[in-house]
Amino acid sequence: MKNYTYKNTESYFRKMKPIWERTGLEFRQKRELLGLSQKDIACQIGTSPSLISRFELGSYISRRSLVENSYLTAIELFLRKQQEHFAKITL
């Protein structure tokens, strides 16, 4: 088992911070483009708006990949519902 020291953890966070910030910005832009709020996403994936905010700001959050995948799924579901809605209108 690898022994992580504070220095290793700190350097990991420093290395990952720009990646997390870029990813969070991309997700926020998609959400805003769709007219969704942080609360909308949070309700859809069963978490708090503050967690969504921290994710979008690029802060450290545990289980980041789970939040990222759930967030993507929420956006996909929203888009699917929109497509179904517009399909009904055009029929």
Side-chain angles (χ1 to χ4, degrees):
M1 180 179 228
K2 198 169 189 178
N3 184 13
Y4 290 98
T5 63
Y6 178 75
K7 188 173 184 177
N8 288 339
T9 303
E10 186 178 320
S11 63
Y12 172 76
F13 288 158
R14 207 173 324 125
K15 175 184 159 190
M16 296 305 294
K17 180 75 171 161
I19 296 167
W20 294 339
E21 287 174 341
R22 187 172 51 250
T23 302
L25 176 63
E26 291 170 2
F27 276 74
R28 188 186 88 222
Q29 289 171 337
K30 288 177 187 176
R31 176 182 57 75
E32 289 176 344
L33 183 66
L34 295 171
L36 298 171
S37 68
Q38 290 177 339
K39 185 177 179 181
D40 294 331
I41 297 293
C43 287
Q44 188 71 28
I45 67 174
T47 192
S48 67
S50 64
L51 180 78
I52 299 302
S53 175
R54 291 194 318 273
F55 174 80
E56 291 179 352
L57 291 171
S59 300
Y60 169 78
I61 55 172
S62 62
R63 299 185 179 159
R64 182 172 200 82
S65 62
L66 177 63
V67 173
E68 186 172 329
N69 290 332
S70 299
Y71 196 128
L72 276 175
T73 301
I75 289 175
E76 289 171 0
L77 286 172
F78 176 79
L79 290 172
R80 207 170 292 146
K81 286 178 185 177
Q82 291 291 76
Q83 288 173 341
E84 290 171 2
H85 175 73
F86 288 123
K88 288 178 185 176
I89 292 173
T90 58
L91 292 177

